[in-house]
Amino acid sequence: MGFGQLPSPSNALAADARSLNMLKLQAGQKTPAAIKEAAKQFESLFMRELIKSMREATMKSGLLDSAGGDLGADLLDQQFAVQMSGLPGGLSDLIAQQLTRQTEGAEPIVSTPKTSAAAPTTASAPASIRQSGFVQRHTDAAAKVAASSGIPAAFMIGQAGHETGWGQHEIKIKGGGPSFNLFGIKADAKWTGKVAEVTTTEFVNGAPIKTVAKFRAYDSYEASFQDYARLISETPRYAQARQQTGSVTAFASGLQRAGYATDPAYASKLSRAINTTLQLQRAQA
């Protein structure tokens, strides 16, 4: 790539300081095309670092490791990063808005993305960024409850992520305020606390049915983790699942067999969410 050229949007990645400085300079010229390309490049760099950190967190056998293999993996990471960037409604759109506002002398509306898990986690951001932000946001509260309950923090965060769409579909109380209910725990006759009444989907004989249900509401996310751990630890029908925290699949299957959810595919979906959380925790460590 020449010094005075924009990188090709289809297959290039600005990988050095000179290229990035050129992108900043061209974005500063207020050309919409230059701003859009600069935003895509910054998103690509972030995605490359995220993929790289997740790859490094994966255990290697050591049998086929080599410098050539590492180079090939790095090139593949670059290719994936470029392909995952620039999508409509993605992170690059937010970056482009910021660059446009900055060139016009206005205050930025989002932070410039950094190569860390603390990137913006909006509903329009790519799924991997939402998941990473969700895991980081709830790690401390889950860790506290894990220490007292023995249920792995990753298991709880993964289930919370699955139940809420990684924070996109959290249950709201009347008026739109947060219920802090991360696990979809319903308000039964024994519940004396706050309640959120919403429309939800239940599966009856394998068919999805819309119904209105009452859910528990809390004062904090930590209280939600505490109530979940208490439910799993003290309810007899979850006793088998509670004893299977050494296996993601066994734990998820145990919850489904005990009737935690009516979705017939709940165990497989929950297993994927927990494994995603474990990978992100390793990448963030």
PDB file of all heavy atoms in Angstrom, residues 143-159:
ATOM      1  N   ALA A 143     -18.288 -13.651  40.397  1.00  0.00           N
ATOM      2  CA  ALA A 143     -17.188 -14.239  41.161  1.00  0.00           C
ATOM      3  C   ALA A 143     -17.506 -14.265  42.650  1.00  0.00           C
ATOM      4  O   ALA A 143     -17.192 -15.237  43.358  1.00  0.00           O
ATOM      5  CB  ALA A 143     -15.901 -13.459  40.899  1.00  0.00           C
ATOM      6  N   LYS A 144     -18.140 -13.209  43.145  1.00  0.00           N
ATOM      7  CA  LYS A 144     -18.510 -13.165  44.566  1.00  0.00           C
ATOM      8  C   LYS A 144     -19.501 -14.278  44.905  1.00  0.00           C
ATOM      9  O   LYS A 144     -19.366 -14.962  45.922  1.00  0.00           O
ATOM     10  CB  LYS A 144     -19.129 -11.803  44.899  1.00  0.00           C
ATOM     11  CG  LYS A 144     -18.143 -10.638  44.880  1.00  0.00           C
ATOM     12  CD  LYS A 144     -18.862  -9.343  45.233  1.00  0.00           C
ATOM     13  CE  LYS A 144     -17.909  -8.158  45.170  1.00  0.00           C
ATOM     14  NZ  LYS A 144     -18.613  -6.887  45.468  1.00  0.00           N
ATOM     15  N   VAL A 145     -20.488 -14.452  44.049  1.00  0.00           N
ATOM     16  CA  VAL A 145     -21.507 -15.472  44.304  1.00  0.00           C
ATOM     17  C   VAL A 145     -20.919 -16.866  44.112  1.00  0.00           C
ATOM     18  O   VAL A 145     -21.269 -17.803  44.841  1.00  0.00           O
ATOM     19  CB  VAL A 145     -22.717 -15.245  43.381  1.00  0.00           C
ATOM     20  CG1 VAL A 145     -23.750 -16.353  43.563  1.00  0.00           C
ATOM     21  CG2 VAL A 145     -23.350 -13.889  43.677  1.00  0.00           C
ATOM     22  N   ALA A 146     -20.020 -17.014  43.158  1.00  0.00           N
ATOM     23  CA  ALA A 146     -19.373 -18.313  42.932  1.00  0.00           C
ATOM     24  C   ALA A 146     -18.586 -18.747  44.160  1.00  0.00           C
ATOM     25  O   ALA A 146     -18.566 -19.930  44.518  1.00  0.00           O
ATOM     26  CB  ALA A 146     -18.459 -18.234  41.712  1.00  0.00           C
ATOM     27  N   ALA A 147     -17.935 -17.791  44.818  1.00  0.00           N
ATOM     28  CA  ALA A 147     -17.114 -18.106  45.986  1.00  0.00           C
ATOM     29  C   ALA A 147     -17.962 -18.662  47.130  1.00  0.00           C
ATOM     30  O   ALA A 147     -17.507 -19.517  47.896  1.00  0.00           O
ATOM     31  CB  ALA A 147     -16.354 -16.860  46.439  1.00  0.00           C
ATOM     32  N   SER A 148     -19.184 -18.194  47.255  1.00  0.00           N
ATOM     33  CA  SER A 148     -20.042 -18.641  48.359  1.00  0.00           C
ATOM     34  C   SER A 148     -20.940 -19.814  47.994  1.00  0.00           C
ATOM     35  O   SER A 148     -21.352 -20.582  48.868  1.00  0.00           O
ATOM     36  CB  SER A 148     -20.922 -17.477  48.837  1.00  0.00           C
ATOM     37  OG  SER A 148     -21.734 -16.988  47.779  1.00  0.00           O
ATOM     38  N   SER A 149     -21.225 -19.977  46.700  1.00  0.00           N
ATOM     39  CA  SER A 149     -22.158 -21.021  46.279  1.00  0.00           C
ATOM     40  C   SER A 149     -21.488 -22.244  45.672  1.00  0.00           C
ATOM     41  O   SER A 149     -22.063 -23.339  45.674  1.00  0.00           O
ATOM     42  CB  SER A 149     -23.148 -20.456  45.251  1.00  0.00           C
ATOM     43  OG  SER A 149     -22.489 -20.176  44.020  1.00  0.00           O
ATOM     44  N   GLY A 150     -20.301 -22.059  45.109  1.00  0.00           N
ATOM     45  CA  GLY A 150     -19.618 -23.160  44.454  1.00  0.00           C
ATOM     46  C   GLY A 150     -20.010 -23.351  43.003  1.00  0.00           C
ATOM     47  O   GLY A 150     -19.442 -24.196  42.303  1.00  0.00           O
ATOM     48  N   ILE A 151     -20.975 -22.586  42.518  1.00  0.00           N
ATOM     49  CA  ILE A 151     -21.352 -22.655  41.103  1.00  0.00           C
ATOM     50  C   ILE A 151     -20.373 -21.797  40.306  1.00  0.00           C
ATOM     51  O   ILE A 151     -20.201 -20.619  40.620  1.00  0.00           O
ATOM     52  CB  ILE A 151     -22.794 -22.150  40.894  1.00  0.00           C
ATOM     53  CG1 ILE A 151     -23.775 -22.961  41.731  1.00  0.00           C
ATOM     54  CG2 ILE A 151     -23.169 -22.225  39.410  1.00  0.00           C
ATOM     55  CD1 ILE A 151     -25.202 -22.444  41.668  1.00  0.00           C
ATOM     56  N   PRO A 152     -19.691 -22.339  39.308  1.00  0.00           N
ATOM     57  CA  PRO A 152     -18.682 -21.571  38.564  1.00  0.00           C
ATOM     58  C   PRO A 152     -19.241 -20.276  37.994  1.00  0.00           C
ATOM     59  O   PRO A 152     -20.361 -20.245  37.474  1.00  0.00           O
ATOM     60  CB  PRO A 152     -18.267 -22.538  37.449  1.00  0.00           C
ATOM     61  CG  PRO A 152     -18.560 -23.896  38.002  1.00  0.00           C
ATOM     62  CD  PRO A 152     -19.801 -23.730  38.821  1.00  0.00           C
ATOM     63  N   ALA A 153     -18.463 -19.215  38.111  1.00  0.00           N
ATOM     64  CA  ALA A 153     -18.895 -17.916  37.608  1.00  0.00           C
ATOM     65  C   ALA A 153     -19.205 -17.973  36.121  1.00  0.00           C
ATOM     66  O   ALA A 153     -20.180 -17.370  35.648  1.00  0.00           O
ATOM     67  CB  ALA A 153     -17.810 -16.869  37.882  1.00  0.00           C
ATOM     68  N   ALA A 154     -18.403 -18.702  35.354  1.00  0.00           N
ATOM     69  CA  ALA A 154     -18.620 -18.804  33.908  1.00  0.00           C
ATOM     70  C   ALA A 154     -19.960 -19.448  33.586  1.00  0.00           C
ATOM     71  O   ALA A 154     -20.621 -19.080  32.608  1.00  0.00           O
ATOM     72  CB  ALA A 154     -17.485 -19.595  33.257  1.00  0.00           C
ATOM     73  N   PHE A 155     -20.369 -20.432  34.413  1.00  0.00           N
ATOM     74  CA  PHE A 155     -21.654 -21.090  34.190  1.00  0.00           C
ATOM     75  C   PHE A 155     -22.792 -20.087  34.379  1.00  0.00           C
ATOM     76  O   PHE A 155     -23.742 -20.050  33.592  1.00  0.00           O
ATOM     77  CB  PHE A 155     -21.834 -22.257  35.160  1.00  0.00           C
ATOM     78  CG  PHE A 155     -21.019 -23.476  34.825  1.00  0.00           C
ATOM     79  CD1 PHE A 155     -19.771 -23.368  34.231  1.00  0.00           C
ATOM     80  CD2 PHE A 155     -21.495 -24.735  35.098  1.00  0.00           C
ATOM     81  CE1 PHE A 155     -19.009 -24.493  33.919  1.00  0.00           C
ATOM     82  CE2 PHE A 155     -20.752 -25.877  34.795  1.00  0.00           C
ATOM     83  CZ  PHE A 155     -19.501 -25.748  34.208  1.00  0.00           C
ATOM     84  N   MET A 156     -22.678 -19.267  35.428  1.00  0.00           N
ATOM     85  CA  MET A 156     -23.737 -18.305  35.713  1.00  0.00           C
ATOM     86  C   MET A 156     -23.765 -17.184  34.681  1.00  0.00           C
ATOM     87  O   MET A 156     -24.828 -16.785  34.205  1.00  0.00           O
ATOM     88  CB  MET A 156     -23.549 -17.732  37.123  1.00  0.00           C
ATOM     89  CG  MET A 156     -23.791 -18.761  38.223  1.00  0.00           C
ATOM     90  SD  MET A 156     -23.780 -18.056  39.895  1.00  0.00           S
ATOM     91  CE  MET A 156     -22.014 -17.762  40.101  1.00  0.00           C
ATOM     92  N   ILE A 157     -22.593 -16.668  34.312  1.00  0.00           N
ATOM     93  CA  ILE A 157     -22.542 -15.590  33.324  1.00  0.00           C
ATOM     94  C   ILE A 157     -23.032 -16.091  31.974  1.00  0.00           C
ATOM     95  O   ILE A 157     -23.774 -15.397  31.262  1.00  0.00           O
ATOM     96  CB  ILE A 157     -21.118 -15.026  33.198  1.00  0.00           C
ATOM     97  CG1 ILE A 157     -20.678 -14.387  34.519  1.00  0.00           C
ATOM     98  CG2 ILE A 157     -21.044 -13.981  32.074  1.00  0.00           C
ATOM     99  CD1 ILE A 157     -19.233 -13.921  34.529  1.00  0.00           C
ATOM    100  N   GLY A 158     -22.616 -17.304  31.599  1.00  0.00           N
ATOM    101  CA  GLY A 158     -23.057 -17.864  30.335  1.00  0.00           C
ATOM    102  C   GLY A 158     -24.571 -18.019  30.276  1.00  0.00           C
ATOM    103  O   GLY A 158     -25.199 -17.706  29.266  1.00  0.00           O
ATOM    104  N   GLN A 159     -25.160 -18.486  31.379  1.00  0.00           N
ATOM    105  CA  GLN A 159     -26.609 -18.640  31.399  1.00  0.00           C
ATOM    106  C   GLN A 159     -27.296 -17.286  31.370  1.00  0.00           C
ATOM    107  O   GLN A 159     -28.311 -17.099  30.685  1.00  0.00           O
ATOM    108  CB  GLN A 159     -27.047 -19.431  32.625  1.00  0.00           C
ATOM    109  CG  GLN A 159     -28.532 -19.813  32.578  1.00  0.00           C
ATOM    110  CD  GLN A 159     -28.891 -20.887  33.589  1.00  0.00           C
ATOM    111  OE1 GLN A 159     -28.071 -21.307  34.389  1.00  0.00           O
ATOM    112  NE2 GLN A 159     -30.139 -21.340  33.560  1.00  0.00           N
TER     113      GLN A 159
END
